[in-house]
Amino acid sequence: MLELYQFELSHYTEKVRFILDYKGLPYRKIEVTPGIGQLDLLRISGQRQVPVLKDGREVIADSTAIADYLERQYPERPIIPTNPSDRGLCLLIEQWADESIGLNARKAMIGALNRDQAFRKAFLPSGTPDPFKFLVSSVPREVLDLLGLGIGLTPETLKTAEAALKRDLTALCFMLSERPYLVTEQPTLADFAVAALTMYIKFPEGDYLSIPTDLKGKGVPGIADIGTFQPFFDWRSKLYSDFRKTEGTTSSPGASSPTSIDIE
Ligand SMILES: N[C@@H](CCC(=O)N[C@@H](CS)C(=O)NCC(=O)O)C(=O)O
């Protein structure tokens, strides 16, 4: 069976999970332990980031390379059009989702965590004891701002990221106002990339991800909760309900606990 080394909360991994579900390929999720598990990842794949897909003796790192591999190896239910202009547009949108939406969404989510106590609290696993929840949610905003600044997130960087995301979502609303999917009459890699890489702007509702219940449907205030972008989020919800398997219905066993990696 295919094995997907992942973080449940990774948006690049979400792209791969979407593709695997669309193609109807069963897979086992292996949750990588940040730090130690990534050293094992380095040993098997030559780099330390998730997602990594293992298919027998084949080990593929990077969501784009994995999409490419799956399309070649499992061509049924294709996700990359063969017609040159559709193919070009599909690959361009995927690249845009990875390099623009994904990176800006990560920044905007960190900014939202800094600003919004309720959102910060929602990130904690449901079993977290109340005193600990209280401690986390009561960390002063200035301290979190400092943490944000420590990783290069100045208020200007955040403002630029949020403005870019709003332009991206506006463009997507226009594109989707006249057609069901971004490139052709069928979903393609472009749709799965955009749906997955917008995960941090607003987490999907429904049981698609093993994340705290409070986080489902939540996102960056001022973007996730305003009517302007609702057509985009409605489109994404439909893509999820049509093609992404829920935790209960998936043909895959549930995720393992965080682990380091077995090497054959
Ligand atoms: N270009 C890569 C990006 C993967 C990536 O950024 N993965 C993040 C999780 S979303 C990661 O593994 N971060 C841990 C690290 O960089 O150490 C892809 O498309 O797969």
Side-chain angles (χ1 to χ4, degrees):
M1 179 182 284
L2 295 169
E3 291 182 324
L4 181 64
Y5 294 91
Q6 64 151 37
F7 299 151
E8 187 72 8
L9 269 172
S10 156
H11 47 181
Y12 293 98
T13 305
E14 180 62 358
K15 188 207 304 182
V16 174
R17 290 185 295 237
F18 231 130
I19 297 167
L20 289 166
D21 281 354
Y22 180 71
K23 282 183 174 281
L25 297 169
Y27 63 100
R28 190 160 75 93
K29 298 197 280 187
I30 298 170
E31 193 71 11
V32 173
T33 310
I36 183 81
Q38 287 177 266
L39 290 181
D40 290 337
L41 215 48
L42 179 65
R43 254 185 304 154
I44 63 161
S45 71
Q47 55 85 61
R48 19 174 118 233
Q49 293 192 318
V50 295
V52 167
L53 184 78
K54 202 153 169 261
D55 186 7
R57 302 192 72 79
E58 292 287 334
V59 177
I60 311 106
D62 189 275
S63 61
T64 302
I66 295 171
D68 208 45
Y69 170 83
L70 289 173
E71 187 72 343
R72 273 184 284 112
Q73 205 66 19
Y74 304 95
E76 239 168 80
R77 284 179 63 85
I79 54 163
I80 305 178
T82 46
N83 163 296
S85 64
D86 289 344
R87 192 181 184 91
L89 184 59
C90 175
L91 299 180
L92 200 65
I93 293 175
E94 191 218 8
Q95 175 77 1
W96 168 53
D98 281 5
E99 299 301 325
S100 178
I101 302 176
L103 300 183
N104 285 325
R106 180 147 56 193
K107 290 179 194 162
M109 184 195 58
I110 293 172
L113 284 173
N114 284 1
R115 281 195 307 260
D116 190 321
Q117 213 182 50
F119 190 40
R120 209 152 66 223
K121 214 165 155 184
F123 250 82
L124 298 172
S126 47
T128 308
D130 280 347
F132 187 69
K133 271 192 175 162
F134 173 76
L135 259 180
V136 170
S137 59
S138 62
V139 174
R141 207 195 123 186
E142 295 68 32
V143 174
L144 290 161
D145 276 348
L146 271 178
L147 292 174
L149 290 173
I151 51 168
L153 285 184
T154 64
E156 289 71 36
T157 316
L158 284 175
K159 219 164 118 186
T160 308
E162 290 189 0
L165 286 175
K166 286 179 182 171
R167 278 197 305 277
D168 289 344
L169 291 175
T170 303
L172 287 163
C173 285
F174 277 124
M175 291 167 81
L176 293 165
S177 65
E178 287 181 346
R179 53 194 318 169
Y181 303 108
L182 290 165
V183 180
T184 69
E185 296 301 306
Q186 301 298 322
T188 66
L189 174 59
D191 301 285
F192 300 130
V194 164
L197 274 298
T198 52
M199 180 168 104
Y200 295 156
I201 306 178
K202 185 176 183 175
F203 288 96
E205 286 166 41
D207 292 331
Y208 303 105
L209 299 165
S210 294
I211 58 174
T213 315
D214 285 355
L215 214 50
K216 294 178 180 172
K218 300 266 169 37
V220 178
I223 303 183
D225 52 0
I226 62 170
T228 321
F229 305 123
Q230 198 53 44
F232 170 75
F233 291 114
D234 288 346
W235 168 83
R236 198 186 66 169
S237 295
K238 183 159 166 32
L239 198 73
Y240 264 89
S241 67
D242 288 349
F243 303 115
R244 179 83 164 87
K245 293 195 168 75
T246 54
E247 289 284 298
T249 62
T250 180
S251 48
S252 323
S256 63
S257 320
T259 181
S260 59
I261 293 163
D262 297 333
I263 303 171
E264 278 171 0

